[in-house]
Amino acid sequence: MTTLVFVHGWSVTNTSTYGLLPQRLQAQAASAGIALAVADIWLSEYVSFDDVVTMADVVRGFDHALRDLHLHDASFVCITHSTGGPVVREWLRAQRERPHAFSTIRLTHLMMLAPANFGSALAQLGKGVLSRLRAWAGGVEPGQRILDWLELGSSESLSLNLDHIHGDDAAERGQFLFVLTGDRPDRSLYDHINSYTGEDGSDGVVRIAAANLNARHAVLARQGSSNDATLAINATVAPRTAFKLIPGAAHSGLGQGVMAAAPQATVDALLRCLQVRDVGGYHQLCDAFDAQNAQRDAERVEKEPVGPFSPRVHIHDPRSMLVVRLTDEAGEPLLGARWLFEAGLPPNPDWMPQGFMLDRQANSRQGHVITFFLNHGLLAGTARVADPDNSRRTLRAAMSGHRPYSATIEPADLAGLVHHAIASSASSDDLFLILAPHQTTVLDVVLPRHVREGVFRLSQQREPEDFSHPVAGDVIP
């Protein structure tokens, strides 16, 4: 007997958001040998649209609600959508870190549909004036505190994801995580005021790379002398997580929504996830999903009908997301610093492939955290893309990669008693190696903090001496 709990996403006010997925999953589970009785399916109703409610509040509420269930073997499986993924992952962390405050109920399978694991570019816009007016007109608040978590590069989301990257492999403990996400927006839901709703490389709300838990954490810092302006890279890769692209599915909507529309590809993938019983079976499914994703990536051309006009062509190159945190060795944020991508040897910003930069967004609460959305296919170099309806017609010519890629950081304060100097990544390092298709990399850039002798001096001069304009002096080693 399996108990299945569904957890919805941000701003949901009606359980209709689950669409037909619970019914279809239950109907097809029997043929797969999985017992899902009607009483074993629970649909969550949590509040994300109150400006006072935080992610931690929702997690406490989730734990309390679970205690009221009569669970077989004190365990359950969970299917989440969008923000529901981070909610349950935060609950799992709370279980580990505060075992006396949270229940010991065991989650065996966590199947996340379009999870905003690294946030969403839409969250910042959701906190804007127009969105607040829309929310109030509908009788609800936008849910500012939840949106704070969901904003790209938030300290809360990075904390959870860095714990995951540096943590142990949950599959080795018999706890299996799965990410299933759509591979394109629903063009009929495109908002002309907000281009993110039609962003390629996303499902219209969450970027593919932001959903994927196969991620990296890299640190770019000096390793030489105190005057060394060259930064070296060290990187850590997260434990492997099963990741599946659902072709043609979008974030929401009854037409293409990965959950609401209950596409057969979603149901099939979920049933395969539910059948995993051990770490060997889990890694076999990871391999199968990877092979299917590779096949999808090979068929990257989408033609969007535009009425009587020629179709609009979308080339679905794999994208990468790079979250850069700029600080110094004292942990102070570097505000106003300039980040410059460069290519080739010697490094030259003009040699970066045309079109590689898709978007950049600074976190509204932490301006030193910037999220870059990059075309991984163009950075790697790509073969000619032909028209699938006419192989002789070229949609995009072949493009070569311009590796190695590097970066130069130009701080705003280049002089003073305490300042920073221009620094660059080492020529022997290639930033491309810390990126991966459909994945996110968190990059901590740590610049040397130069403190000069003028900050503190000792004097034997007995006569009054004005030091309101101190001489900076040399940098303290």
Side-chain angles (χ1 to χ4, degrees):
M1 188 70 72
T2 301
T3 298
L4 174 58
V5 176
F6 281 81
V7 181
H8 62 72
W10 168 75
S11 80
V12 170
T13 58
N14 194 298
T15 55
S16 63
T17 188
Y18 299 111
L20 298 176
L21 185 59
Q23 295 94 316
R24 289 185 180 175
L25 193 60
Q26 183 183 13
Q28 297 184 36
S31 61
I34 303 170
L36 286 176
V38 173
D40 294 321
I41 296 180
W42 297 84
L43 307 182
S44 70
E45 301 174 12
Y46 73 87
V47 175
S48 64
F49 45 80
D50 187 310
D51 285 346
V52 176
V53 173
T54 67
M55 181 69 80
D57 296 332
V58 176
V59 168
R60 286 180 62 187
F62 179 62
D63 187 74
H64 178 74
L66 287 176
R67 294 172 189 263
D68 291 337
L69 299 182
H70 300 289
L71 297 172
H72 179 67
D73 295 332
S75 67
F76 72 107
V77 301
C78 189
I79 295 177
T80 67
H81 181 246
S82 196
T83 305
V87 166
V88 179
R89 290 181 58 221
E90 287 282 20
W91 174 74
L92 290 172
R93 179 164 68 160
Q95 270 194 321
R96 295 192 303 270
E97 296 182 352
R98 301 173 60 192
H100 300 296
F102 285 81
S103 67
T104 57
I105 297 169
R106 177 170 173 75
L107 174 60
T108 60
H109 295 63
L110 174 57
M111 294 156 284
M112 294 170 275
L113 303 178
N117 283 319
F118 283 88
S120 168
L122 284 168
Q124 192 173 94
L125 302 179
K127 294 161 65 176
V129 175
L130 182 59
S131 295
R132 289 200 298 271
L133 290 174
R134 285 181 179 176
W136 289 331
V140 298
E141 297 173 348
Q144 291 282 347
R145 300 298 297 277
I146 302 297
L147 288 171
D148 284 345
W149 196 105
L150 290 172
E151 192 174 343
L152 294 177
S154 75
S155 58
E156 297 90 347
S157 68
L158 291 180
S159 172
L160 178 64
N161 289 309
L162 289 176
D163 279 355
H164 168 73
I165 292 171
H166 293 279
D168 64 349
D169 187 347
E172 298 289 346
R173 294 186 273 106
Q175 190 172 73
F176 307 111
L177 276 60
F178 311 86
V179 172
L180 315 175
T181 192
D183 70 341
R184 65 197 59 191
D186 184 342
R187 308 293 176 188
S188 67
L189 300 179
Y190 178 71
D191 183 347
H192 292 274
I193 298 177
N194 181 3
S195 60
Y196 285 126
T197 59
E199 185 179 53
D200 287 336
S202 81
D203 63 5
V205 174
V206 175
R207 292 168 177 169
I208 295 172
N212 197 351
L213 283 178
N214 295 292
R216 289 167 167 77
H217 177 215
V219 178
L220 187 61
R222 66 174 175 177
Q223 295 184 341
S225 67
S226 59
N227 293 322
D228 192 355
T230 301
L231 309 179
I233 296 177
N234 288 295
T236 302
V237 179
R240 191 181 189 189
T241 299
F243 176 71
K244 174 76 169 71
L245 292 170
I246 307 296
H251 192 81
S252 55
L254 296 177
Q256 294 177 229
V258 69
M259 180 172 70
Q264 189 59 46
T266 297
V267 176
D268 290 342
L270 288 173
L271 291 174
R272 295 186 71 180
C273 296
L274 284 168
Q275 291 173 314
V276 170
R277 291 290 177 264
D278 53 44
V279 66
Y282 180 73
H283 286 298
Q284 287 179 1
L285 187 56
C286 288
D287 292 339
F289 282 171
D290 287 349
Q292 292 168 1
N293 294 340
Q295 182 178 1
R296 174 267 178 198
D297 285 345
E299 301 169 357
R300 62 181 64 185
V301 177
E302 173 194 1
K303 290 189 174 182
E304 176 191 358
V306 191
F309 306 103
S310 299
R312 187 175 293 117
V313 175
H314 300 269
I315 300 176
H316 291 282
D317 293 316
R319 269 76 170 174
S320 299
M321 207 162 75
L322 180 66
V323 183
V324 178
R325 296 195 296 187
L326 298 168
T327 62
D328 65 19
E329 292 167 331
E332 292 291 322
L334 292 178
L335 297 173
R338 184 185 180 205
W339 172 275
L340 195 64
F341 285 103
E342 299 169 312
L345 292 174
N348 189 332
D350 294 332
W351 292 349
M352 293 298 298
Q354 184 176 4
F356 83 98
M357 174 73 73
L358 303 171
D359 183 66
R360 57 176 174 264
Q361 186 182 106
N363 187 273
S364 65
R365 293 181 298 149
Q366 298 174 299
H368 66 292
V369 182
I370 306 168
T371 299
F372 297 96
F373 196 37
L374 309 174
N375 189 318
H376 187 275
L378 295 184
L379 289 171
T382 180
R384 166 184 175 268
V385 177
D387 188 333
D389 300 323
N390 180 2
S391 60
R392 294 184 177 181
R393 181 177 175 229
T394 298
L395 297 178
R396 187 178 67 194
M399 299 180 67
S400 61
H402 299 167
R403 298 172 58 187
Y405 298 113
S406 56
T408 292
I409 304 92
E410 300 177 358
D413 55 338
L414 297 175
L417 291 174
V418 178
H419 67 96
H420 304 85
I422 296 174
S424 300
S425 57
S427 58
S428 57
D429 288 332
D430 185 353
L431 290 181
F432 184 80
L433 297 177
I434 66 171
L435 302 174
H438 307 311
Q439 295 185 19
T440 293
T441 299
V442 180
L443 177 60
D444 279 312
V445 179
V446 184
L447 262 61
R449 183 179 178 88
H450 297 308
V451 180
R452 294 190 173 269
E453 294 172 340
V455 166
F456 194 110
R457 284 192 173 96
L458 297 175
S459 174
Q460 290 185 319
Q461 176 62 258
R462 300 301 179 89
E463 297 298 324
E465 185 177 1
D466 180 14
F467 59 92
S468 60
H469 295 89
V471 176
D474 294 333
V475 174
I476 298 173

